[in-house]
Amino acid sequence: MDQTEKVVNTTANLQVKTRKNVLTPKNAPYFFIGPAFLLILIFTVYPVISSFVLSFQEVRGVQKSFVGLANYSRLFHDPIFYKSLLNTFQILIVQVPIMLFFSLLIAVGLHSSMLRGKAFFRISYFMPAITALAAASIVFMILLDEHFGLVNYFLSFLGLDAISWLNTPFWAKVSVILVMTWRWTGYNMVIFLAGLQNIPADLYEAASIDGAGKVKQFFMITIPQLKPVFIFTVVMSTIGTLQLFDEPFILTNGGPNAATMTITLYLYETGFKFFDFGYASAIAYVLVIITAIVSWIQMKLVGDEE
């Protein structure tokens, strides 16, 4: 029995020593981040590399054949791609400035010391950002209905004709812009509000002593101090708009006459409606390049000069 106990104890001690040798202070962090790193490799890195390879291939059923730059060459001769690109930039140029203007305006109002019930208003303005987009889009489809919508009902009180919001090219774009502005204004308002709260009060006090009014303080102190916030919101809003999919997909499905067809929506239809995955991958990588170029230009235009 004594010998058996000694063997068991010796084996247990060896196992403990082995575990101590495997798990050391140097390699312990790798054991903790290993599972997350493995998931990133499987679900992020591999799809990115796989889609890049796929952009040089033609897919027919389960058969893949290498076609070189044929998908990219086809892309630059595709009128629908140019149409979707134009639509996306039209929405971007109109919607982002309007949204950021209202976000800043609301943030300044909520930052005022004279306002009561700030928490209620902050939550109210931020709620659209966390509202289910499908439910919100259905509500807007009802509101903007040409015959029974509440918006046209109010227009009739003003003696105006009903507007076909979702069935004409111009107003369909306006509808998408309205929904996007409603959804993301509160989100950017929170970011501006955080920036306003970080501006030292001493700057405003010194400006008041020097005789500067509220308007002058806003343009000479608030705007310059919010420059990093402006850079962040402009770049992130631009990236989000270039990836615009949900609103036009649910509201108009890219119509009418491809008036609200965006690059991402065209990518989706190419891949999952027509199953042209090689061409869809090429569209995706061109979109990545466009997004990178636009973001770099914005950073150079509004960023700090070094």
Side-chain angles (χ1 to χ4, degrees):
M1 290 292 294
D2 292 338
Q3 292 180 348
T4 304
E5 290 179 358
K6 288 181 180 180
V7 171
V8 171
N9 291 333
T10 303
T11 303
N13 290 333
L14 288 174
Q15 290 177 348
V16 170
K17 290 181 179 179
T18 303
R19 290 175 182 175
K20 288 182 179 180
N21 292 333
V22 172
L23 193 63
T24 64
K26 287 186 177 181
N27 62 23
Y30 297 102
F31 281 93
F32 289 108
I33 67 173
F37 182 71
L38 184 62
L39 290 174
I40 291 173
L41 285 177
I42 295 173
F43 295 104
T44 302
V45 177
Y46 171 74
V48 168
I49 297 174
S50 179
S51 63
F52 180 71
V53 174
L54 194 62
S55 68
F56 298 99
Q57 297 177 330
E58 182 181 6
V59 181
R60 293 183 179 179
V62 295
Q63 300 294 325
K64 298 179 182 178
S65 58
F66 181 77
V67 293
L69 297 174
N71 287 324
Y72 292 95
S73 176
R74 172 186 168 190
L75 182 68
F76 292 108
H77 295 86
D78 185 352
I80 302 179
F81 171 74
Y82 286 111
K83 177 69 174 176
S84 65
L85 187 64
L86 177 62
N87 291 337
T88 304
F89 275 98
Q90 284 176 342
I91 294 172
L92 169 66
I93 293 170
V94 176
Q95 190 267 335
V96 171
I98 292 174
M99 176 187 65
L100 295 182
F101 171 76
F102 283 116
S103 297
L104 178 61
L105 192 66
I106 295 170
V108 171
L110 293 180
H111 186 61
S112 173
S113 58
M114 297 183 294
L115 182 67
R116 302 297 180 185
K118 292 182 180 180
F120 170 77
F121 288 107
R122 290 174 183 175
I123 294 172
S124 300
Y125 282 114
F126 187 72
M127 280 295 290
I130 59 174
T131 303
L133 185 57
S137 298
I138 292 173
V139 171
F140 270 94
M141 288 175 69
I142 296 173
L143 291 174
L144 299 174
D145 184 84
E146 181 180 0
H147 303 289
F148 307 104
L150 191 61
V151 176
N152 281 340
Y153 181 73
F154 282 118
L155 289 178
S156 65
F157 275 109
L158 301 175
L160 301 174
D161 295 331
I163 297 174
S164 183
W165 292 97
L166 303 177
N167 298 314
T168 54
F170 174 78
W171 291 111
K173 278 194 182 75
V174 172
S175 301
V176 172
I177 290 171
L178 286 174
V179 176
M180 291 178 63
T181 304
W182 170 83
R183 182 170 176 80
W184 297 112
T185 295
Y187 177 86
N188 289 282
M189 174 270 298
V190 172
I191 300 174
F192 278 115
L193 191 59
L196 288 169
Q197 292 172 345
N198 286 325
I199 299 176
D202 298 342
L203 296 177
Y204 294 103
E205 293 176 1
S208 298
I209 293 173
D210 291 338
K214 294 294 183 181
V215 176
K216 192 170 184 179
Q217 289 179 24
F218 178 77
F219 286 102
M220 301 302 293
I221 297 176
T222 304
I223 297 297
Q225 289 292 316
L226 287 178
K227 185 177 181 180
V229 180
F230 273 110
I231 295 173
F232 177 79
T233 52
V234 168
V235 172
M236 295 304 296
S237 298
T238 299
I239 294 173
T241 305
L242 288 173
Q243 297 175 348
L244 178 62
F245 172 79
D246 301 282
E247 287 86 348
F249 177 72
I250 298 175
L251 285 174
T252 61
N253 198 27
N257 298 322
T260 56
M261 178 70 71
T262 61
I263 305 176
T264 312
L265 182 56
Y266 184 46
L267 187 158
Y268 167 81
E269 289 192 349
T270 302
F272 296 99
K273 185 176 180 180
F274 302 107
F275 301 103
D276 195 348
F277 294 110
Y279 188 46
S281 297
I283 296 173
Y285 274 91
V286 170
L287 175 59
V288 169
I289 295 171
I290 292 172
T291 303
I293 292 173
V294 172
S295 300
W296 179 81
I297 292 173
Q298 289 178 330
M299 293 293 291
K300 285 295 181 181
L301 290 177
V302 299
D304 293 325
E305 294 183 359
E306 297 182 358

